[in-house]
């Protein structure tokens, strides 16, 4: 039986580099958690908010009881398997949301992954009573996002050097003749 062969020089170097990455990752994680726990400010700015009406509160309860949080995230609860719905009220109207829940593919304009007719996972949503769907639509429409947040329809107010430079480098010269800069469109 042959003896064990030791690691070659290149293998030792690769293992050392890998070990260094692991050590740096652990140190970075510990430092980040220490700073986060000792800080009185949130690590990330909260850019979504809500002010629920009575119907919106009822819709929030129905949303959770109907297992919507098994796929969606809303009010910072649920999973990320489907879309995060925080801020959806800044992009969609209550009427659009209601129409989507009742007939998702017709409202969306194409096939959807989980909403729609059987055998889709969330086909039960369209079968729910209209008053429950109206409550859920009210709840979702009240999930708002600050302008400029990832969930908002509008970019941040004012000029952005980053956006201006990207447009200067990537956009064709005549883009202003064809398109309006969304930062210059007044908000509702």
């Amino acid at each position: 039986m042959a003896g064990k062969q030791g690691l070659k020089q290149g293998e030792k170097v690769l293992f050392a580099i890998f070990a260094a990455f692991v050590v740096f990752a652990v140190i970075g994680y510990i430092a980040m958690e220490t700073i986060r726990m000792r800080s009185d400010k949130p690590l990330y700015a909260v850019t979504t908010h809500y002010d629920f009406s009575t119907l919106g509160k009822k819709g929030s309860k129905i949303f959770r009881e109907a297992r919507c949080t098994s796929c969606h995230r809303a009010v910072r609860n649920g999973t990320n398997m489907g879309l995060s719905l925080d801020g959806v009220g800044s992009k969609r109207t209550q009427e659009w949301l209601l129409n989507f829940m009742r007939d998702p593919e017709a409202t969306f304009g194409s096939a959807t992954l989980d909403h729609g007719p059987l055998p889709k996972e969330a086909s039960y949503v369209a079968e729910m009573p209209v008053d429950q769907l109206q409550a859920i639509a009210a709840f979702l429409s009240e999930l708002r996002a600050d302008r400029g947040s990832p969930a908002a329809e509008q970019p941040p107010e004012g000029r952005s050097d980053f956006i201006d430079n990207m447009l200067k480098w990537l956009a064709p010269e005549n883009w202003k003749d064809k398109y309006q800069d969304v930062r210059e469109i007044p908000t509702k």
Side-chain angles (χ1 to χ4, degrees), residues 95-106:
E95 180 183 355
W96 190 96
L97 293 164
L98 177 62
N99 290 336
F100 178 83
M101 288 184 289
R102 293 172 83 189
D103 191 0
E105 294 183 347

Side-chain angles (χ1 to χ4, degrees), residues 26-39 43:
V26 169
I27 290 171
Y29 176 76
I30 292 170
M32 181 184 73
E33 284 299 305
T34 302
I35 291 168
R36 183 185 66 80
M37 291 190 327
R38 292 183 181 173
S39 177
L43 193 57

Side-chain angles (χ1 to χ4, degrees), residues 96-167:
W96 190 96
L97 293 164
L98 177 62
N99 290 336
F100 178 83
M101 288 184 289
R102 293 172 83 189
D103 191 0
E105 294 183 347
T107 305
F108 194 66
S110 66
T112 59
L113 185 62
D114 285 332
H115 288 269
L118 280 171
K120 294 188 178 187
E121 182 76 22
S123 62
Y124 68 93
V125 174
E127 305 297 322
M128 293 173 68
V130 174
D131 63 319
Q132 289 185 0
L133 292 177
Q134 288 172 334
I136 293 173
F139 160 66
L140 295 174
S141 71
E142 294 169 0
L143 297 175
R144 311 294 292 171
D146 297 336
R147 184 175 173 158
S149 78
E153 192 171 48
Q154 291 284 330
E157 287 194 50
R159 305 307 297 173
S160 164
D161 289 337
F162 174 76
I163 294 172
D164 290 338
N165 286 330
M166 294 303 289
L167 289 172

Side-chain angles (χ1 to χ4, degrees), residues 34 50 63 65 68 75 99 115 147 150 161 168 176 183 186:
T34 302
Y50 51 88
F63 183 84
E65 290 172 353
C68 298
V75 194
N99 290 336
H115 288 269
R147 184 175 173 158
D161 289 337
K168 186 169 72 174
K176 283 193 174 194
R183 297 174 293 170

